[in-house]
Amino acid sequence: MLGYIFKRLVYIIIAMYLIISATFFLMQLAPGSPFASERELPAAIEEQLNAKYGLDNPWYVQYKDYLVSTMTFDFGESMKYKGRSTNDIIAESFPISVALGLQAMILAIGLGVLLGIISALYHNKLPDYVSTVIAILGISVPSFILAGLLQYYLSFKAGWFPVSGWKGFTYTILPSLAIALGHAGSIAKLTRSSMLEQSNSDYVKLARAKGLGKWTTVFKHTLRNALLPVVTYLGPLLAGVITGSFVIEQIFAIPGLGRHFVTSITNRDYTVIMGTTVFFAIILLFAVLIVDILYSVIDPRIKLKGAKK
Amino acid sequence: MAQNDPNLEKISPDMFKVVGGRFNETEQLSQKQVSFWKEVFYRFSQNKLALIGLVILFIIMGMAIVVPFVSQYSYDQNVGLYNTAPSAAHWFGTDDLARDMFVRVWEGARISLFIGLTAAAIDLVIGVLWGCIAGLSGGRVDNIMMRIADVLTAVPYLLVVIILLVVMEQGLIPLIIALSITGWVGMARIVRSEVLSIKNQEYVLASRTLGANKWHLIKRHLIPNAMGAIIVTMTLTIPSAIFTESFLSYLGLGVQAPMASWGTMASEGFKALTSAPWRLIFPAVFISLTIFAFNAVGDGLRDALDPKLRK
Amino acid sequence: MKKKVLEVKNLRINFKTYAGVVQAVRGVNFELYEGETLAIVGESGSGKSVTSNALMKLIPQPPGIYADGQILFNGKDIIPLSEKEMMRVRGNDIAMIFQDPMTALNPTMRIGLQITEVILKHKKVSTRDEAKQRAIQLLDQVGIPYPEKRFRAYPHELSGGMRQRVVIAIALAADPKLLIADEPTTALDVTIQAQILELMKEIQKKSNTSIIFITHDLGVVANIADRVAVMYAGQIVEYGTVNDIFYNPKHPYTWGLLGSMPDLDNDADELLRAIPGSPPNLISPPKGDAFASRNEFALAIDFEKEPPMFKVSDTHYAKTWLLHPDAPKIPLPESVARRIEGYQKEANNNGQ
């Protein structure tokens, strides 16, 4: 197990290096500078600003400086909001995104698995059709469109939920629902086909041959095996929730990290872009690693590549 | 147990002549012999959802081709009416620049579909080439190529796409490039696994026949078997591309005005949600329908091509 | 007088499919006594698995239909039983052993728990500990070494033979009177096969269990069966003791089966007699004798009327027009006759 973790960490470091470097060079290639979009600055001042941020150094010097500072997790100051350190921005807004993200994930998994199980157990009967339709809606309607529609009909017109902001539990419902529904649909489909597949296997037949009832068989035998593939979806789920947050936080005016990321892109705020990118990438890479380990723990048959059991 | 029935009706003696079996009959397969693709087609047509999806696709593509030609308005023409609700003259209403929404939606259909299909096609080409080369070469080349694919999968897709777009300036081509940049990995993996499984069979045959038959085997076996998986993957890549495109357009990274994809139209529609909801609803509905239709058809194809016949 | 454990009368089972109604089992009759082993032999599609699944009412009710007949277990017909009542029978009175031990066990559940599950469900003991003790006893009985340790093992940690022993232990857990073994040795190596068969015979001797053994392998039949039912196209075409079937087969299909068995004592030059053709479509079963078109000894009447069961002796019946008093006397095909000679010689040598 330890050997496996070590190998994965090496991969993570390589991937991080590639991402960091790629981000840097892309920023270099990008037209425009953070100062260009503002009103015309006198040349002298612009020179000073460039010097302060080291933007007038040759690229390899900037690259070296960048790598060094990244290693020490020093993402510098925001170029747009002078005086605000990138790390502060991240520290402030990330917890909010975490809350939103976790809620969305729990919703997605809970709803998705439930719909999938119902679909499978009432195969080809009414509950199956209803669940399948809901799942399809979730998959087909992009989350931001869903968010807009929810906002319009349930907040603006019906007044059941607050329209935007992040000031209490009721503020979290619509945003997390908007993010979760799309993934709930995918999870429902996955759960459904997995349950159907397991229901046809020999050990389920044997369970019935033992005299176990239909529901006992499902909960004690089928379910555990059917949910295994769902665990592998957790990685993409997290990635999807993060990207979902970019737009949903904008629509619902939630001060999370996703929104800052998007704004920093529009503003060409390089330091914040790079800091946030690195941050997100680390989270995602570690999340996938954790999911893989989790999967091997849950399924006694799995031996991780390069691990000794 | 039934036994000799004394009441057995008298049977004429020549019924007891030995006539032997009718072996020709039994060799005929009891079911009509159908070609592989016909069977696939049959199974596909049993899937109601897939059929609905197919019909929707035909309608949408048909409208996308026809409407901009036939319509009396062009997509950037000022018709004098600003932000009007759907009416007899303008079936989908008009927007804030007094443009007819109906023709704009179908013009947008062209663009969104073009983006989706092209991105998927690029993924197809790169993916198939990559997978074939990796699978056929084997050994270190295969190893390296798949490692690269692994690393690319690890990298968060959307981050890369967004940053690329920021760098490349917006526009149709950069958008398509950004969309296809990591999507080909899935296709490559599938193609490679098909190649590997065919390769193993091929060696067995090759040891008995002359080596010259290798290309023949590739044509006869690899293409039909892999074709199924390739088609399914492509069909499922397209809605993902359309989804991502609309997402990016919302972030302001999509195509430039006055060209409008469904995504940009939805994005603009958002701003007028309270006053002119139809500007969001129509593009939104068609985005969702198209994504659903491609998914349904893709799933239907996948089930139809599945050799494990269920039922 | 031995007790009759099972009597099947005129069982008919159909399946509704998209292509039509498949008549999988078409009027099957047999009996089974205490402590006896009945082997059901046939090729794929003969209906043997459907019959065995039907005995425990494990056929999914759509698309399966119990079209006719009775299944009398200890005198009581179980077909009209409700699902709840059936649950008390399954595992408890009648138990099943499946073909593939790899897939028959739940891969994510420890094998000990898979055994205690049966014990606790049918309330054979009152505490979990007692169930565990009994499970360990069973594991020992089926020949698994270090049973206390193995109790906590997962199926993939055991070899194929071990897994099948666990499946047998599960079947025995609630002390059933009838064991249905559906090709339990097909997926195993030959040496393991022999061990499993020995195990089953041992168990039968100890607990006087009746066994229905489904197989396509006549060698296994010779080893373990008291009586044999040969099935073809959903019907039993020959039925008798194991001696009846091997030394005095009367149905051309049985001849075919005996003749197509590879035999070490065979002359290497002798051609293996395969039965040409394939089984008929059971959506529209042919008129007359279903085996007729593959039967080189078919009579004209075989294509017109279905033959009744003719009695050969008190224990031996065969469903073929060749046994009609007016039918020509067809001698055994040479290869079959030679086989039988070989068996008899071997039996004499073994002092049977």
Side-chain angles (χ1 to χ4, degrees), chain A residues 117 121 195 198-199 201 203-208 210-228 298, chain C residues 87 104-122 128 131 151 154:
Chain A
I117 295 179
L121 291 179
M195 287 279 298
Q198 294 299 320
S199 300
S201 53
Y203 70 85
V204 170
K205 253 175 75 184
L206 184 62
R208 309 277 285 120
K210 289 183 194 172
L212 296 176
K214 200 164 103 144
W215 291 103
T216 321
T217 311
V218 166
F219 284 113
K220 283 189 72 183
H221 290 272
T222 326
L223 202 53
R224 200 179 312 181
N225 288 289
L227 287 181
L228 288 177
I298 294 182
Chain C
M87 272 163 52
L105 296 172
N106 184 338
T108 57
M109 197 191 249
R110 298 186 203 270
I111 59 166
L113 289 175
Q114 299 193 42
I115 304 178
T116 55
E117 198 178 32
V118 188
I119 304 175
L120 290 168
K121 164 78 191 183
H122 295 293
R128 283 241 194 102
F151 184 83
Y154 283 104

Side-chain angles (χ1 to χ4, degrees), chain A residues 11 26 136 144 189 247 265, chain B residues 147 162 166-167 247 250 299:
Chain A
Y11 273 135
L26 289 175
I136 290 179
F144 66 96
K189 273 180 76 181
V247 198
I265 290 182
Chain B
R147 287 280 162 268
I162 292 179
V166 165
V167 168
F247 190 82
Y250 181 80
D299 282 346

Side-chain angles (χ1 to χ4, degrees), chain B residues 74-311:
Chain B
S74 96
Y75 73 95
D76 57 353
Q77 179 189 356
N78 184 322
V79 299
L81 298 166
Y82 291 84
N83 279 329
T84 51
S87 62
H90 300 277
W91 291 352
F92 285 2
T94 62
D95 67 3
D96 61 340
L97 291 181
R99 296 175 293 196
D100 175 55
M101 285 291 297
F102 189 71
V103 74
R104 275 182 76 75
V105 164
W106 295 111
E107 192 70 50
R110 288 186 174 191
I111 297 188
S112 292
L113 285 174
F114 176 73
I115 294 175
L117 288 167
T118 321
I122 296 181
D123 279 348
L124 172 74
V125 170
I126 303 181
V128 168
L129 278 175
W130 195 274
C132 269
I133 297 178
L136 284 173
S137 323
R140 286 192 86 205
V141 177
D142 180 20
N143 231 329
I144 297 177
M145 288 182 86
M146 290 331 279
R147 287 280 162 268
I148 298 180
D150 283 341
V151 171
L152 277 174
T153 334
V155 173
Y157 170 63
L158 222 64
L159 286 180
V160 171
V161 170
I162 292 179
I163 295 180
L164 271 175
L165 283 172
V166 165
V167 168
M168 283 191 285
E169 298 273 19
Q170 294 164 252
L172 194 55
I173 309 291
L175 185 60
I176 295 181
I177 296 181
L179 284 175
S180 16
I181 204 107
T182 47
W184 57 265
V185 176
M187 179 70 82
R189 276 196 225 272
I190 292 185
V191 171
R192 174 179 171 268
S193 75
E194 291 287 338
V195 170
L196 285 179
S197 68
I198 303 300
K199 226 170 63 151
N200 288 331
Q201 297 172 17
E202 177 207 43
Y203 282 153
V204 172
L205 287 173
S207 68
R208 297 204 304 210
T209 65
L210 301 170
N213 282 336
K214 224 197 284 188
W215 300 114
H216 212 53
L217 286 167
I218 291 181
K219 263 200 291 184
R220 278 284 164 78
H221 292 279
L222 175 65
I223 305 295
N225 282 328
M227 189 60 83
I230 291 178
I231 294 181
V232 170
T233 313
M234 256 201 83
T235 320
L236 292 174
T237 318
I238 298 177
S240 162
I242 295 185
F243 183 101
T244 314
E245 182 268 317
S246 60
F247 190 82
L248 293 170
S249 301
Y250 181 80
L251 289 177
L253 295 169
V255 294
Q256 298 281 56
M259 246 207 302
S261 66
W262 280 337
T264 53
M265 289 174 68
S267 175
E268 288 168 24
F270 250 104
K271 303 191 193 115
L273 189 51
T274 48
S275 52
W278 59 87
R279 288 177 55 196
L280 171 63
I281 293 183
F282 287 111
V285 163
F286 285 106
I287 293 179
S288 309
L289 274 179
T290 313
I291 293 180
F292 157 71
F294 273 112
N295 273 325
V297 170
D299 282 346
L301 279 175
R302 198 206 297 132
D303 287 343
L305 285 165
D306 195 332
K308 287 181 293 186
L309 281 162
R310 262 186 271 151
K311 251 194 258 177

